[in-house]
């Protein structure tokens, strides 16, 4: 059942919507249509009171529970500088909304709605929150799981089984939180694993992973016979895609279970080796022999752990025979043992340094990133680039392809710039990104760094938190407020990282935050120039137009404010065709989904903090 198939005019009042929801909540939730029902009715009804109730219902279902955390799916900001609100945000709900939520929690009889409403009340602020809500939510999540499983038996929709896994993940987190219901939860897990015969293996695997992640609840004895589930999966006929999941997800979990109960882990390593061999056999194209060789290497590793000497030697022979046939369309750079050891030592040192940084207050962490002590210095990059050995391609005509397969040839000075930015990019990848990852990503996952304290820092400690007034065409003052303009991207990034860390079912997307913040950065540079009286318009043949970001960064006056190190970073990230050139690639939609990597967002946040450290007085 989908909302688009419902004639909303059939409902005379919101009470009839409630009645419909009582009967169909499970089907609507399965199809992600619970919110749409109230969006449609809010538009349909002309009664202001019913519009408000529909809005509240919509906001209730915009929350998502992942583990023990609650996430909202959209946000808004206040009008005042530094005032930040999340929408919907339980801390900001009106008392009337809480009264309505309590009323709905009492009036409904549908287990899914009872679980949802009571879970929201349990997560509410002090004064509303009460343990009884958590207990009611716990009880009704169990009922909801049974109902979704029964629905699969009647309509065969696989999404019902996925919902079983999602609700179990929420239920385990809730149980851990309230330290109650262990017996009931274990009974449910036992039923789903051993009696729910229609439950797909990958859902059972997810349930077992949830159990392993909560050792305070599930003990050694709770994993008896669990390995039989994995043996059954391994013994069935396999496809290539099945082996991929076996070696990356299922067998590693089976090894964890075997370790926990003291069972033999060698047989599972042996099965991993066999799976890698099957994957290698499936690779028959010469251009993919590098991947075939990698499968052999991993099979050798697995057979070593399994103690299977004969299998290991046989695979080593296959590996040796294939090696001469592997051709890579790339240039290979061999690292010496000393270089590999130095890289490992550097990574260890970065972890130690960032662990120390994360012990500081959030404001100090953001300030440290803004100072960029771990970023390459302009003069050091210049020396490294000039010291790079001459490339053999200098003696011929080199043709370059951009990411869209357009051909370009070198112009005067291009090779020098290309080499310079290539050197800088190497240092960014090897030195800067590890610092940012271990600081920002780890800080967000731990809860020490939050959307709120980040925006609060930007609002209170940078020029972006200072109002700027310009006059519009009508002669009226117009205030520029950057906080609500950059907050969406920051909030989206923080929420994606938290959700990614909180649930195995969640696949993060960094498209929105990267696109949004990249384009806002050009506006920030332009406004910075406005504030220090640098012209932000340039002349063209017949008109004037706004200057692009590379025009702004090339202006002589800007060099009196930004130091060489920061100008290099900004040019690399946003302006140079030999750098990352984020602004151009985002504005022209050159990135595919795989190129929206979280590393880009780490660099954007660093750029935001680094531009924010400047004031509007010359140094």
């Amino acid at each position: 059942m989908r909302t688009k198939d419902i004639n909303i005019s059939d409902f005379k009042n919101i009470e009839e919507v409630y009645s419909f929801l009582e009967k169909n909540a499970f089907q609507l939730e399965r199809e992600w249509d619970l919110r749409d029902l109230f969006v449609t009715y809010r538009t349909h009804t002309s009664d202001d009171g019913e519009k408000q109730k529909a809005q509240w219902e919509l906001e209730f279902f915009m929350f998502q529970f992942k583990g023990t955390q609650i996430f909202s799916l959209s946000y808004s900001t206040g009008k005042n500088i530094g005032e930040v609100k999340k929408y919907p945000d339980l801390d900001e709900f009106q008392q009337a909304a809480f009264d309505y939520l309590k009323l709905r929690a009492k009036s409904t009889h549908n287990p899914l709605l009872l679980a949802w409403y009571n879970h929201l009340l349990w997560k509410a602020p002090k004064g509303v929150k009460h343990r009884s809500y958590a207990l009611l939510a716990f009880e009704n999540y169990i009922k909801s799981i049974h109902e979704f499983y029964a629905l699969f038996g009647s309509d065969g929709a696989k999404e019902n089984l996925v919902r079983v896994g999602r609700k179990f993940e929420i239920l385990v987190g809730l149980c851990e939180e309230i330290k109650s219901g262990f017996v009931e939860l274990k009974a449910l897990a036992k039923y789903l694993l051993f009696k729910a015969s229609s439950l797909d293996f990958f859902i059972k695997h997810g349930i077992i992973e949830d159990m392993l992640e909560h050792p305070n609840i599930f003990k050694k004895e709770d994993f008896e016979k669990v390995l039989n589930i994995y043996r059954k999966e391994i013994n069935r006929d396999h496809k290539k895609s099945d082996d991929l999941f076996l070696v990356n997800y299922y067998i590693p979990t089976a090894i964890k279970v075997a370790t926990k109960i003291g069972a033999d882990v060698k047989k599972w390593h042996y099965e991993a080796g066999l799976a890698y061999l099957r994957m290698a056999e499936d690779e028959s194209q010469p251009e993919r022999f590098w991947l075939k060789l990698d499968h052999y290497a991993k099979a050798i590793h697995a057979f070593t752990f399994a103690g299977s000497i004969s299998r290991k030697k046989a695979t080593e022979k296959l590996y040796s025979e294939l090696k001469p046939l592997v051709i890579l369309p790339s240039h290979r750079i061999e690292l010496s043992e000393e270089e590999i050891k130095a890289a490992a030592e550097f990574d260890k040192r970065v972890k130690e340094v960032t662990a120390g940084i994360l012990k500081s207050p959030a404001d100090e962490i953001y300030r440290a990133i803004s100072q960029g002590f771990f970023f390459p210095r302009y003069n050091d990059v210049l020396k490294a680039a000039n010291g790079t050995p001459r490339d053999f391609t200098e003696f011929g005509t080199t043709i370059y392809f951009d990411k869209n397969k357009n051909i370009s040839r070198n112009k005067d000075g291009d090779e020098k710039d290309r080499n310079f930015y290539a050197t800088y990019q190497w240092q960014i990848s090897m030195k800067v990104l590890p610092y940012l990852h271990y600081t920002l990503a780890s800080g967000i996952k731990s809860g020490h760094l939050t959307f709120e304290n980040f925006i609060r820092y930007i609002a209170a400690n940078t020029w972006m938190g200072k109002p700027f007034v310009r006059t519009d065409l009508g002669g009226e003052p117009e205030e520029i407020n950057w906080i609500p303009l950059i907050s969406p991207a920051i909030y989206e990034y923080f929420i994606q990282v938290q959700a990614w860390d909180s649930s195995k079912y969640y696949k993060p997307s960094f498209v929105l935050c990267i696109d949004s913040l990249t384009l806002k950065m050009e506006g920030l540079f332009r406004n910075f120039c406005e504030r220090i009286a640098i012209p932000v318009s340039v002349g063209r043949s017949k008109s004037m137009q706004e200057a692009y970001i590379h025009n702004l960064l090339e202006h002589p006056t800007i060099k009196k404010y930004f130091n060489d190190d920061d100008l290099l970073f900004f040019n690399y990230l946003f302006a140079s065709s030999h750098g990352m050139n984020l602004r151009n690639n985002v504005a022209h939609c050159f990135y595919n989904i795989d190129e929206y990597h979280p590393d880009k967002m780490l660099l954007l946040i660093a750029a935001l903090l680094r531009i924010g450290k400047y004031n509007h007085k010359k140094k």
Side-chain angles (χ1 to χ4, degrees):
M1 175 180 296
R2 302 298 305 271
T3 298
K4 64 182 181 180
D5 301 323
I6 300 170
N7 185 359
I8 205 68
S9 300
D10 291 341
F11 301 110
K12 297 177 182 178
N13 52 54
I14 200 167
E15 295 296 332
E16 293 188 359
V17 179
Y18 296 155
S19 298
F20 178 81
L21 193 61
E22 285 290 310
K23 299 177 183 177
N24 300 285
F26 283 93
Q27 291 89 340
L28 289 170
E29 207 261 1
R30 182 188 69 198
E31 301 295 341
W32 301 87
D33 270 4
L34 269 175
R35 293 189 295 273
D36 291 346
L37 175 65
F38 286 103
V39 170
T40 307
Y41 187 76
R42 182 188 60 184
T43 303
H44 166 72
T45 183
S46 58
D47 184 279
D48 289 340
E50 292 199 342
K51 281 183 180 292
Q52 178 62 75
K53 291 178 180 178
Q55 178 64 29
W56 280 333
E57 293 282 355
L58 171 62
E59 292 174 0
F60 297 157
F61 292 113
M62 289 182 78
F63 286 103
Q64 290 291 309
F65 297 102
K66 299 186 185 301
T68 60
Q69 299 187 56
I70 183 171
F71 297 93
S72 56
L73 300 184
S74 62
Y75 93 107
S76 67
T77 60
K79 295 181 179 179
N80 300 323
I81 296 291
E83 180 183 350
V84 180
K85 297 179 180 179
K86 285 182 293 185
Y87 171 79
D89 187 334
L90 286 175
D91 292 335
E92 300 294 334
F93 262 88
Q94 308 96 330
Q95 185 60 47
F98 279 116
D99 291 341
Y100 174 76
L101 181 58
K102 291 176 184 177
L103 181 65
R104 289 291 289 135
K106 290 180 180 178
S107 60
T108 186
H109 300 289
N110 186 289
L112 184 64
L113 301 179
L114 279 168
W116 197 263
Y117 293 144
N118 280 287
H119 202 166
L120 281 175
L121 288 168
W122 165 243
K123 289 292 187 180
K126 187 177 180 181
V128 176
K129 181 175 182 174
H130 193 276
R131 183 177 173 80
S132 61
Y133 296 133
L135 296 175
L136 281 170
F138 179 86
E139 174 187 338
N140 284 281
Y141 273 128
I142 292 178
K143 293 179 181 178
S144 298
I145 288 171
H146 284 292
E147 180 65 25
F148 274 120
Y149 185 67
L151 269 177
F152 174 75
S154 61
D155 62 22
K158 288 286 187 181
E159 182 61 26
N160 290 313
L161 302 183
V162 175
R163 291 291 169 183
V164 168
R166 288 180 181 273
K167 299 305 177 190
F168 187 86
E169 182 184 62
I170 295 172
L171 184 64
V172 176
L174 181 60
C175 184
E176 178 86 57
E177 199 173 8
I178 63 177
K179 306 265 188 306
S180 180
F182 289 7
V183 174
E184 294 85 347
L185 181 62
K186 291 181 180 184
L188 175 64
K190 189 173 183 179
Y191 168 78
L192 293 174
L193 293 178
F194 303 110
K195 295 184 179 180
S197 57
S198 298
L199 200 62
D200 286 344
F201 169 76
F202 80 94
I203 300 295
K204 293 186 178 185
H205 166 72
I207 291 170
I208 294 167
E209 284 197 318
D210 288 328
M211 293 167 65
L212 287 169
E213 288 173 8
H214 293 82
N216 292 333
I217 301 175
F218 294 98
K219 306 300 180 182
K220 175 181 177 180
E221 59 271 16
D222 298 313
F223 291 89
E224 291 181 9
K225 301 181 181 179
V226 163
L227 290 176
N228 292 336
I229 298 172
Y230 288 94
R231 290 191 186 97
K232 183 178 179 181
E233 175 64 16
I234 286 175
N235 290 335
R236 71 181 182 85
D237 292 334
H238 293 285
K239 298 179 181 177
K240 182 178 179 180
S241 59
D242 296 329
D243 285 322
L244 185 66
F245 279 94
L246 273 177
V247 296
N248 288 293
Y249 301 102
Y250 303 151
I251 291 179
T253 300
I255 291 173
K256 290 179 184 177
V257 173
T259 302
K260 190 174 186 71
I261 64 176
D264 182 16
V265 298
K266 290 185 177 181
K267 64 178 66 176
W268 299 104
H269 287 294
Y270 185 81
E271 291 292 347
L274 294 179
Y276 279 122
L277 286 180
R278 290 194 295 268
M279 292 168 68
E281 290 169 4
D282 287 333
E283 299 294 349
S284 57
Q285 300 299 318
E287 63 270 17
R288 291 176 62 86
F289 278 176
W290 62 273
L291 187 58
K292 187 184 188 80
L293 194 71
D294 183 61
H295 293 327
Y296 281 148
K298 290 177 179 176
I300 293 168
H301 186 72
F303 289 135
T304 300
F305 278 101
S308 178
I309 304 301
S310 59
R311 278 285 190 180
K312 178 189 174 189
K313 289 183 176 180
T315 309
E316 286 173 341
K317 185 174 183 297
L318 293 172
Y319 182 92
S320 298
E321 291 171 350
L322 182 64
K323 271 181 65 177
L325 305 178
V326 175
I327 300 175
L328 296 177
S330 60
H331 179 64
R332 182 181 178 89
I333 301 176
E334 295 286 352
L335 295 179
S336 65
E337 291 186 9
E338 290 77 13
E339 289 171 324
I340 294 173
K341 183 178 179 181
E345 286 294 327
F346 177 78
D347 188 70
K348 180 181 177 182
R349 188 163 65 252
V350 170
K351 288 181 180 179
E352 292 173 350
V353 171
T354 52
I357 293 174
L358 285 174
K359 294 178 182 178
S360 306
D363 282 8
E364 293 302 319
I365 296 172
Y366 299 137
R367 188 170 289 107
I369 295 173
S370 74
Q371 298 304 314
F373 71 93
F374 47 83
F375 273 81
R377 304 295 184 224
Y378 176 87
N379 289 333
D380 295 337
V381 177
L382 192 60
K383 289 178 182 177
N386 290 336
T388 303
R390 290 168 61 86
D391 192 277
F392 75 94
T393 57
E394 291 180 23
F395 301 100
T397 300
T398 305
I399 299 176
Y400 293 93
F401 292 84
D402 66 16
K403 68 184 310 298
N404 295 301
K405 298 185 180 180
N406 297 312
I407 296 176
S408 63
R409 286 180 171 82
N410 276 348
K411 300 176 183 177
D412 291 341
D414 263 13
E415 194 59 42
K416 184 176 181 180
D417 285 345
R418 194 186 303 276
N419 186 43
F420 177 79
Y421 279 104
T423 303
Y424 187 71
Q425 180 172 333
W426 169 260
Q427 296 189 12
I428 288 287
S429 300
M430 299 302 294
K431 297 181 179 180
V432 175
L433 283 171
Y435 270 104
L436 292 175
H437 175 79
Y438 290 132
T439 304
L440 285 173
S442 299
I444 293 170
K445 290 177 181 179
S446 70
H448 185 45
L449 302 183
T450 66
F451 161 70
E452 287 88 353
N453 61 38
F454 184 93
I455 293 297
R456 191 181 305 118
Y457 174 84
I458 294 293
N461 297 282
T462 74
W463 62 267
M464 290 172 276
K466 299 177 181 179
F468 178 74
V469 179
R470 64 161 68 107
T471 304
D472 64 17
L473 289 174
E476 296 296 324
E478 179 185 38
E479 184 177 285
I480 304 300
N481 181 356
W482 281 105
I483 300 304
L485 292 174
I486 62 176
S487 292
I490 303 303
Y491 179 70
E492 176 70 11
Y493 173 70
F494 274 66
I495 215 70
Q496 290 295 334
V497 173
Q498 289 173 325
W500 190 10
D501 184 56
S502 299
S503 173
K504 73 184 73 63
Y505 295 99
Y506 190 76
K507 182 179 180 180
S509 171
F510 298 95
V511 175
L512 291 177
C513 54
I514 291 174
D515 278 357
S516 176
L517 191 53
T518 297
L519 299 181
K520 294 299 182 295
M521 288 299 297
E522 182 168 355
L524 284 167
F525 282 111
R526 184 175 291 111
N527 186 230
F528 185 94
C529 292
E530 276 187 285
R531 295 179 186 228
I532 58 175
I534 292 178
V536 294
S537 298
V538 294
R540 292 292 183 260
S541 58
K542 296 182 180 180
S543 63
M544 298 290 292
Q545 73 174 45
E546 289 295 302
Y548 292 129
I549 192 168
H550 65 272
N551 301 130
L552 301 174
L553 293 174
E554 290 170 357
H555 198 282
T557 306
I558 204 72
K559 296 180 180 180
K560 299 178 182 178
Y561 292 84
F562 296 162
N563 63 40
D564 289 341
D565 301 334
D566 284 331
L567 276 175
L568 171 58
F569 180 45
F570 297 150
N571 272 299
Y572 163 79
L573 199 57
F574 301 112
S576 175
S577 60
H578 301 312
M580 190 172 288
N581 207 3
L582 263 177
R583 186 266 177 201
N584 183 69
N585 289 325
V586 166
H588 293 89
C589 299
F590 287 158
Y591 286 147
N592 60 46
I593 189 64
D594 294 328
E595 292 173 286
Y596 279 93
H597 195 276
D599 283 353
K600 289 185 173 68
M601 196 60 192
L602 290 175
L603 294 175
L604 282 167
I605 290 176
L608 185 67
L609 290 169
R610 292 185 75 170
I611 191 178
K613 72 182 178 183
Y614 291 97
N615 208 332
H616 298 97
K617 295 180 180 179
K618 296 180 183 179
K619 293 184 295 183

